[in-house]
Amino acid sequence: MGRAEIERDVTAERTRLAVLPQLQHWIAVPLMFAILIIAAGFSLRSSRDFTAADLSVDAALSHHHTPPRTAIALAVNVLFSPAAGVVIIAAICLFLLLVRRSPVNAFATGLVAAGSWVSSELFKLIVARHRPDSAALFDPLTPEPGTDSFPSGHTALAVAIVIALFLLARGSRWQWPVLVVGAAVALTVALSRIYLGVHYPTDVAASFLTSLTGASFITGLWNRYGLAALARLPFLARLGPVPAPVS
């Protein structure tokens, strides 16, 4: 393989996220799912039967706390907290930007991860579902009162990071390891939130949908405007290749 071919391969690797896979109707479809998720959230918030069924799962788990499980759940609570989420996403982006010399991959990965995660916070504000009542739990570990139960932000963060890393690894030998390990981590985070009694099962289930919905919109947004926005930051070319936007 000649030097020119090697350089082309390196450039292609550093700009692999210049174009992301996207839905054909990347505005209409996420909007439709967002409306359905909000409608489901309002139904869950207003239904005593749904809430009672949800709470029964938290209450049952509250009777089966063990020191190892509790230690894991509390560690996850810290590792995927909002502050830690900012640090994780920033660390990934800085690694791609400064070590891998990939401005395109860094910004695309950060936008997908942050955008997918932040979208869940919008659903929280709109739905405003009360968290499980800690008084109904046998062993409340970290009572968190409030109206930000739907969806779970911790779970949405984990799912958002997995989506972003999967897109980064897509088409490489790391694709399936990232997906399998990432799915296991996201499920662990989801289960930990129910175990701690700070979210209902339907909250964590919704988190997967909210992050996917956010990602499906963000990928289309990136393909439409991403490279054009990076082209306005000429200093990025010193850190790595930035292809010209396709008109």
Side-chain angles (χ1 to χ4, degrees):
M1 183 179 292
R3 181 174 180 178
E5 292 179 337
I6 294 175
E7 290 179 353
R8 280 197 299 270
D9 289 345
V10 171
T11 299
E13 183 64 23
R14 290 179 179 177
T15 60
R16 61 168 33 243
L17 298 188
V19 178
L20 294 173
Q22 71 168 73
L23 297 173
Q24 181 178 0
H25 303 289
W26 59 274
I27 297 178
V29 173
L31 179 60
M32 179 185 68
F33 272 96
I35 292 172
L36 292 174
I37 291 169
I38 291 170
F42 282 135
S43 297
L44 291 168
R45 189 186 72 176
S46 60
S47 173
R48 292 183 179 180
D49 290 338
F50 275 129
T51 299
D54 260 352
L55 186 59
S56 67
V57 177
D58 293 67
L61 285 176
S62 185
H63 284 274
H64 299 284
H65 289 167
T66 64
R69 293 173 187 166
T70 299
I72 292 172
L74 292 176
V76 168
N77 184 51
V78 174
L79 290 174
F80 288 90
S81 64
V86 172
V87 172
I88 292 171
I89 294 174
I92 293 172
C93 293
L94 288 174
F95 173 79
L96 292 172
L97 182 64
L98 301 178
V99 179
R100 302 298 296 175
R101 313 293 288 183
S102 306
V104 171
N105 293 349
F107 277 86
T109 300
L111 182 65
V112 171
S116 303
W117 175 31
V118 170
S119 66
S120 71
E121 300 303 312
L122 297 177
F123 288 104
K124 279 179 179 288
L125 292 173
I126 295 171
V127 175
R129 186 187 192 188
H130 284 279
R131 286 181 182 266
D133 183 5
S134 60
L137 304 178
F138 175 74
D139 181 25
L141 294 169
T142 56
E144 293 184 19
T147 57
D148 57 347
S149 190
F150 181 96
S152 161
H154 284 64
T155 308
L157 168 62
V159 175
I161 292 173
V162 171
I163 292 171
L165 292 180
F166 175 75
L167 291 176
L168 182 64
R170 182 172 172 266
S172 73
R173 62 193 178 95
W174 296 105
Q175 173 178 314
W176 298 115
V178 166
L179 183 60
V180 172
V181 174
V185 170
L187 286 172
T188 299
V189 175
L191 291 173
S192 75
R193 305 309 288 163
I194 305 171
Y195 179 89
L196 291 175
V198 294
H199 281 288
Y200 298 106
T202 48
D203 294 337
V204 298
S207 303
F208 287 83
L209 295 177
T210 56
S211 289
L212 287 168
T213 298
S216 64
F217 173 72
I218 292 297
T219 52
L221 194 69
W222 168 263
N223 288 342
R224 185 74 177 269
Y225 302 107
L227 292 182
L230 295 189
R232 298 181 180 181
L233 305 173
F235 67 90
L236 290 179
R238 301 176 186 175
L239 299 173
V242 179
V246 179
S247 59

